[in-house]
């Protein structure tokens, strides 16, 4: 039997739009179905004709719920894909909050374009709607980690934990006696709320992500900076603002705040989780105990709620959020978006950045051009919500929080293979990162390796 793989996205120097087509004599499946995000030429690719006729696909297999891996699915279904979407149970739970949210953003964008006439299309239509997102959820088929399933005739697949976010899996496929392994996004080792990436023993062809293929994360404990930030807020009787992604990072921060309180390293301040999506994600993280690491399981058995600092408050509604305007510090607000590109954190930043008692702690990657990056680089004033806001707050940064394996952690995972794959393709990284990882794999492991080309088709 012959089989081939075509890299339709998340290859050739891009980190978004992850999509790989696996074809054999008996079936065709898509590994991941991600949305292109970032600069306009990339985003326009979401609007082009689908790279594969959706009606001809037997199934989609999703590595995890992040939108750059799942966010094209509603469009695929809208354009005629009616087959099953295989993913883990916790990925499905996360998709239930993330895809409707993504659809909502698309609808808002179209609405904005129509009101402000910023488009040549009349009327501007959303890439997809909430109804399309619901269609995906109806087509989803949850499978357990380790359990074999058959996404198409002649193709057998299974997930093993990749440690990246809740539900994230490495996908291993067997096609006509050949083994294809797709890393999805690899997580880090020793993160308190996640299991470590599971080693995989064998692959003929391997796809490995390279987001941080040219970087080693700083060795410092991320909690040191968090401790300093909380202590400053308490001393100044001011607010600590933590812009954080709703899924993964917010739970990690809540977990660490609770641990630091328990250890007596920080005072117990009110902690406002000001994000409906983060609140829902935290419930999902708490529910899927099968994916927690041993320490977390032990905590829960002892009756501790691992994501609940003593004075946790949930701000579900806009009114809850606005009420914080009249609440005196000290206190902590965790809200999205993680790079201060939108969301409720903007309103808090606008109000509190001019106050020198305020502390802002950035706990994740800040992309070029975002407000997060500008603040991190020391901007003295910043535009937001129609005004120029002076920055007198203390800006702090912790680069040690990351959901992606760095170069050394990727190598550690690769060393888990019992023999070198016949061929390894580097995917999901900017050109520098992908090239650097290819060179490292070649020089340190001596494997046959290439950076996957955009649109390239290879035999399995
Ligand atoms: Zn991811």
């Amino acid at each position: 039997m012959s089989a081939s793989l075509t890299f339709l996205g998340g290859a050739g120097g891009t980190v978004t739009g992850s999509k790989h087509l696996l074809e054999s004599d008996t079936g065709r499946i898509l590994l991941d179905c991600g949305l292109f995000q970032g600069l306009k030429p990339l985003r326009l690719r979401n609007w082009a004709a689908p790279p594969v006729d959706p009606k001809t696909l037997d199934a989609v297999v999703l590595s995890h719920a992040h939108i750059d891996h799942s966010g094209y699915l509603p469009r695929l279904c809208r354009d005629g894909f009616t087959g099953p979407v295989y993913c883990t149970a916790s990925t499905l739970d996360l998709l239930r909050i993330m895809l409707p949210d993504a659809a909502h953003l698309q609808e808002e964008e179209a609405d904005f374009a129509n009101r402000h006439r910023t488009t040549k299309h009349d009327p501007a239509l959303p890439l997809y709607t909430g109804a399309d997102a619901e269609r995906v959820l109806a087509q989803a088929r949850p499978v357990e980690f380790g359990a074999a399933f058959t996404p198409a005739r002649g193709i057998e697949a299974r997930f093993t934990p990749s440690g990246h976010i809740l539900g994230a899996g490495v996908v291993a496929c067997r096609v006509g006696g050949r083994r294809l392994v797709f890393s999805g996004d690899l997580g880090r080792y020793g993160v308190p709320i996640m299991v470590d990436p599971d080693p995989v023993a064998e692959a003929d062809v391997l796809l490995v992500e390279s987001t941080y293929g040219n970087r080693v994360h700083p060795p410092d404990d991320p909690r040191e900076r968090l401790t300093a930030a909380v202590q400053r807020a308490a001393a100044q009787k001011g607010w600590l603002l933590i812009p954080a992604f709703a899924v993964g990072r917010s739970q990690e921060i809540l977990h660490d705040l609770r641990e630091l309180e328990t250890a007596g390293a920080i005072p117990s301040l009110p902690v406002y989780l000001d994000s409906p999506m983060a609140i829902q994600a935290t419930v999902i993280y708490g529910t899927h105990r099968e994916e927690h690491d041993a320490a977390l399981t032990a905590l829960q058995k002892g009756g501790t709620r691992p994501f609940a600092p003593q004075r946790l408050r949930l701000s579900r509604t806009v009114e809850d959020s606005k009420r914080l305007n009249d609440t005196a510090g000290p206190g902590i607000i965790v809200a999205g978006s993680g790079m201060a590109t939108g969301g409720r954190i903007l309103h808090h930043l606008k109000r509190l950045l001019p106050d020198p008692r305020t502390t802002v702690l950035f706990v994740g990657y800040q992309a070029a051009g975002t407000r997060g990056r500008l603040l991190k680089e020391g901007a003295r004033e910043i535009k937001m919500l129609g005004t120029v806001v002076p920055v007198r707050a203390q800006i702090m940064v912790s680069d040690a929080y990351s959901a992606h394996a760095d170069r050394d952690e990727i190598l550690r995972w690769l060393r888990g293979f019992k023999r070198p794959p016949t061929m390894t393709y580097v995917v999901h990284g900017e050109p520098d990162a992908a090239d650097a990882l290819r060179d490292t794999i070649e020089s340190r492991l001596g494997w046959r390796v290439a950076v996957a080309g955009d649109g390239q088709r290879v035999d399995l």
Side-chain angles (χ1 to χ4, degrees):
M1 169 152 49
S2 68
S4 73
L5 194 64
T6 312
F7 307 110
L8 300 174
T14 55
V15 277
T16 61
S18 179
K19 273 180 222 85
H20 309 294
L21 176 67
L22 173 60
E23 295 173 281
S24 76
D25 302 337
T26 54
R28 313 180 91 191
I29 65 169
L30 205 52
L31 299 173
D32 276 358
C33 191
L35 196 69
F36 286 104
Q37 297 170 305
L39 299 172
K40 195 164 184 191
L42 270 178
R43 284 185 281 125
L44 283 176
R45 290 182 68 173
N46 298 320
W47 291 90
V52 49
D53 180 358
K55 295 186 191 77
T56 65
L57 285 170
D58 293 301
V60 174
V61 178
L62 273 195
S63 67
H64 65 292
H66 274 151
I67 291 300
D68 58 327
H69 295 255
S70 72
Y72 189 74
L73 267 171
R75 181 75 184 197
L76 197 80
C77 291
R78 177 197 189 119
D79 286 345
F81 171 65
T82 53
V85 176
Y86 292 96
C87 61
T88 63
S90 32
T91 292
L92 176 53
D93 282 348
L94 290 174
L95 289 176
R96 285 189 220 280
I97 58 175
M98 294 173 80
L99 288 182
D101 182 72
H104 182 67
L105 289 177
Q106 297 290 346
E107 288 172 316
E108 266 185 356
E109 209 172 284
D111 219 40
F112 182 90
N114 288 326
R115 272 186 287 120
H116 298 268
R117 304 199 169 277
T118 56
T119 166
K120 55 182 188 296
H121 306 284
D122 190 25
L125 297 172
L127 183 65
Y128 50 77
T129 64
D132 300 320
E134 290 304 324
R135 210 173 293 174
V136 178
L137 300 174
Q139 286 170 230
R141 301 281 177 277
V143 287
E144 278 177 34
F145 279 110
F149 58 98
T150 310
R153 201 152 63 83
I155 302 179
E156 189 189 86
R158 67 184 79 217
F159 293 107
T160 56
S162 82
H164 169 59
I165 59 166
L166 195 79
V170 171
V171 185
C173 297
R174 245 173 188 284
V175 195
R178 303 280 289 166
R179 288 189 170 91
L180 167 71
V181 173
F182 169 42
S183 72
D185 283 355
L186 288 173
R188 309 191 58 192
Y189 293 85
V191 173
I193 68 168
M194 288 302 301
V195 291
D196 284 351
D198 237 16
V200 176
E202 275 188 292
D204 295 301
V205 173
L206 169 66
L207 310 189
V208 63
E209 71 121 329
S210 58
T211 313
Y212 286 127
N214 57 348
R215 265 185 52 170
V216 176
H217 294 313
D220 42 314
D221 183 345
R223 284 181 242 191
E224 280 171 26
R225 214 50 72 81
L226 182 60
T227 305
V230 177
Q231 284 170 345
R232 181 177 189 274
Q236 299 281 328
K237 298 191 166 47
W239 285 97
L240 166 59
L241 302 182
I242 307 182
F245 299 110
V247 176
R249 190 58 35 80
S250 291
Q251 292 72 41
E252 223 175 320
I253 295 295
L254 292 176
H255 171 272
D256 285 358
L257 286 170
R258 192 203 54 74
E259 286 238 300
L260 291 167
E261 272 177 4
T262 308
I266 57 170
S268 170
L269 302 183
V271 179
Y272 294 87
L273 185 58
D274 188 14
S275 154
M277 179 130 96
I279 292 169
Q280 287 175 286
T282 304
V283 172
I284 296 171
Y285 263 75
T287 315
H288 284 278
R289 296 185 174 193
E290 73 281 6
E291 287 185 56
H292 293 168
D293 74 10
L296 208 63
T297 309
L299 270 179
Q300 286 186 311
K301 277 196 181 136
T304 303
R305 291 159 61 210
F307 304 115
Q310 280 175 43
R311 300 170 70 189
L312 179 65
R313 313 271 189 273
L314 305 179
S315 297
R316 291 177 202 276
T317 65
V318 172
E319 287 66 41
D320 291 340
S321 183
K322 282 185 178 161
R323 212 167 296 132
L324 291 174
N325 296 343
D326 307 317
T327 309
I332 302 169
I333 298 173
V334 180
S337 74
M339 296 193 274
T341 49
R344 290 183 181 176
I345 196 72
L346 285 192
H347 298 275
H348 299 304
L349 286 168
K350 182 184 171 194
R351 185 169 66 87
L352 294 166
L353 277 176
D355 185 343
R357 292 173 301 172
T358 303
T359 310
V360 182
L361 177 65
F362 286 100
V363 289
Y365 180 71
Q366 305 299 317
T370 60
R371 291 191 193 88
R373 174 71 78 90
L374 293 172
L375 286 168
K376 187 177 156 175
E377 288 175 347
R380 298 316 303 163
E381 54 180 38
I382 197 138
K383 269 197 234 166
M384 57 176 68
L385 305 171
T387 56
V388 176
V389 180
V391 181
R392 296 190 200 94
Q394 168 101 27
I395 309 296
M396 298 176 73
V397 175
S398 173
D399 279 330
Y401 283 103
S402 171
H404 282 274
D406 65 12
R407 184 198 64 202
D408 292 352
E409 289 164 321
I410 295 171
L411 279 177
R412 178 171 166 185
W413 182 73
L414 292 175
R415 289 197 171 100
F417 285 87
K418 290 206 178 97
R419 57 176 176 85
T422 316
M423 188 63 201
T424 297
Y425 294 98
V426 176
V427 296
H428 203 280
E430 286 178 6
D432 288 354
D435 289 347
L437 185 65
R438 176 201 57 207
D439 294 347
T440 304
I441 292 174
E442 209 162 46
S443 62
R444 304 249 189 114
L445 302 176
W447 293 6
R448 276 188 69 207
V449 54
V451 174
D454 190 16
Q456 186 188 1
R457 180 182 165 140
V458 298
D459 286 330
L460 213 62

